[in-house]
Structures are given as structure tokens and as C-alpha cells.
Amino acid sequence: GAVVSQHPSWVICKSGTSVKIECRSLDFQATTMFWYRQFPKQSLMLMATSNEGSKATYEQGVEKDKFLINHASLTLSTLTVTSAHPEDSSFYICSARPTGTTKKAQYFGPGTRLLVL
Amino acid sequence: AQKVTQAQTEISVVEKEDVTLDCVYETRDTTYYLFWYKQPPSGELVFLIRRNSFDEQNEISGRYSWNFQKSTSSFNFTITASQVVDSAVYFCALSEAGGYQKVTFGIGTKLQVIP
């Protein structure tokens, strides 16, 4: 089946630093990828839709200058949390939708836990 | 706007009991998709089922069954003879059919199965 990986799975950083999270579709191409954030004991909230070769579409209330998304290839999207602060500590999950298929499936990555000290 | 409501935030059952997790959704789309995901303590989302809005047949997969009722906008999930390994947070989700197919998640129901 379709596999999506995320790297790193865990990251601890100091406040003010930037952190990059990678989302890769391992056995399929994905024109569209999604980034979600999940705070403890809360639901997944869509942050942005990442489109290969074009700018990401951000959900209302998500700062695009803080959460930089780059979808440089059909198998890789990256989320960079710039100048991270403790309130950015969360579980970040990506999903990928296969290109060129009529199936409406999205495949989720295993998530990345970010802790900002 | 799309909305998914999971009224039960936490449920505890004793092993071997049956349990139903409720999900009610709102959408203006005529074509949409409904999902259930399991999220164990490790955090990884486990896909359980996807159902399109035109298919109202109930589905059974082992101990899992789903009851989709368009008339009441509900997509309930039943686990029969629950097991400790079923303990997790379960999310109901709704996706638009066109466009980028953004997924809207419910708040989740935490299920604890007590041995």
C-alpha cells in the first residue's frame, strides 16, 4: 500500500530556532500534500495545502511566514517552523494524495513531535 | 462549511463489551467522503474506512461495523467484543469530493477498554 514517511519523528529545539520537517511519499507521486497540527488531546487541524510547483494554500489563522512550506518535487514536501516558540510544540502530521488516480484516498505520515524549549 | 461532531469525548468499556462511537457531520456538498481513523498512543493515524456519500450500505469488517445514515447525517462506528488493543482515540472525518479534498476531523473519542 501507499506509504508516507516523515522525518524527523521527534525533534527538540530551543526557542528562536527553525525546524524543518520532511514529508515523503515513498511509492507514489503526490501533487498535493497536506499539513496538519494536533495539540495534546485535541483533534487534527489542517494548517495548509501544499501543491507541487506552486505556493501553498494556508488555512485561516495560520501564519504563512512562520510555517514555510516547500513542495519541490512530487514526492517531497517540507514544513519549516521558523523562529519556533514553546507554543509551537505540537504533533505535526502530513498526508499525501496520489497523483493521477480517481481514488480519493489520502495517506497519512506517522507524524513528527516537536518540542520547543 | 464542513463540521464533524463526536459528542463522546471519552468512553470506557470492559473487555468483550460492544461499543458504538457516534459521529454526526455537516456539509453542503452533495458528494463527500467519510472516514474513521484510529490513533493509538504512538500517534500514527490508522485508516479504518472510507465511505462515499452515495453508498449507504452498512459495512462490516471483522469486529468493526459502520452505520451510515444520510437522513440523520450520521456515520457511527461499532466495535463488537472489544479488546484491550482497541484502546485508542478514534477520529471521524469528512472530506469534500472536489478540489483539494481537504479533510475535516472531529475532536475524537478516546476509547479505553478495561481488561
Side-chain angles (χ1 to χ4, degrees):
Chain A
V3 178
V4 175
S5 71
Q6 283 185 239
H7 178 79
S9 55
W10 263 101
V11 58
I12 301 174
C13 69
K14 292 182 179 180
S15 185
T17 61
S18 294
V19 175
K20 180 185 284 188
I21 302 170
E22 293 184 348
C23 177
R24 292 182 185 272
S25 55
L26 297 185
D27 51 0
F28 64 96
Q29 293 184 329
T31 305
T32 304
M33 292 185 176
F34 302 88
W35 286 97
Y36 295 84
R37 179 170 53 183
Q38 184 183 28
F39 292 109
K41 298 186 179 182
Q42 295 188 25
S43 187
L44 285 79
M45 299 300 294
L46 179 65
M47 298 175 65
T49 302
S50 169
N51 307 298
E52 188 269 335
S54 64
K55 292 182 179 179
T57 303
Y58 290 82
E59 295 300 300
Q60 193 173 9
V62 178
E63 300 174 58
K64 60 181 180 182
D65 294 329
K66 180 170 182 61
F67 298 99
L68 301 179
I69 292 173
N70 184 2
H71 195 153
S73 77
L74 287 172
T75 59
L76 173 64
S77 175
T78 59
L79 169 68
T80 301
V81 183
T82 63
S83 187
H85 287 95
E87 57 265 30
D88 298 323
S89 299
S90 187
F91 189 49
Y92 293 86
I93 304 176
C94 72
S95 71
R97 178 188 160 202
T99 302
T101 175
T102 56
K103 293 185 177 181
K104 307 300 183 184
Q106 286 184 27
Y107 300 94
F108 284 84
T112 296
R113 294 193 185 278
L114 169 63
L115 177 61
V116 184
L117 302 176
Chain B
Q2 297 182 321
K3 185 179 178 181
V4 177
T5 301
Q6 294 179 255
Q8 308 146 308
T9 52
E10 290 194 39
I11 301 176
S12 290
V13 298
V14 177
E15 200 171 19
K16 298 184 182 178
E17 286 184 347
D18 299 346
V19 59
T20 295
L21 309 182
D22 298 333
C23 174
V24 174
Y25 63 92
E26 295 177 30
T27 180
R28 280 180 275 188
D29 293 338
T30 54
T31 304
Y32 49 89
Y33 297 89
L34 295 163
F35 306 81
W36 275 96
Y37 288 91
K38 175 182 179 180
Q39 187 179 43
S42 62
E44 184 168 353
L45 282 177
V46 178
F47 169 81
L48 296 178
I49 189 172
R50 177 175 63 95
R51 176 56 53 85
N52 75 55
S53 52
F54 294 109
D55 183 3
E56 288 192 69
Q57 282 192 340
N58 291 332
E59 183 159 338
I60 298 175
S61 176
R63 296 184 297 107
Y64 296 168
S65 63
W66 291 270
N67 183 359
F68 176 29
Q69 292 199 344
K70 214 168 177 179
S71 60
T72 56
S73 298
S74 64
F75 188 43
N76 297 337
F77 172 33
T78 297
I79 301 175
T80 304
S82 60
Q83 300 176 1
V84 174
V85 293
D86 296 328
S87 297
V89 179
Y90 291 86
F91 290 99
C92 180
L94 169 69
S95 167
E96 58 191 17
Y100 294 122
Q101 292 149 35
K102 297 188 293 186
V103 180
T104 300
F105 284 84
I107 197 169
T109 296
K110 183 177 181 180
L111 174 65
Q112 184 177 13
V113 181
I114 303 167

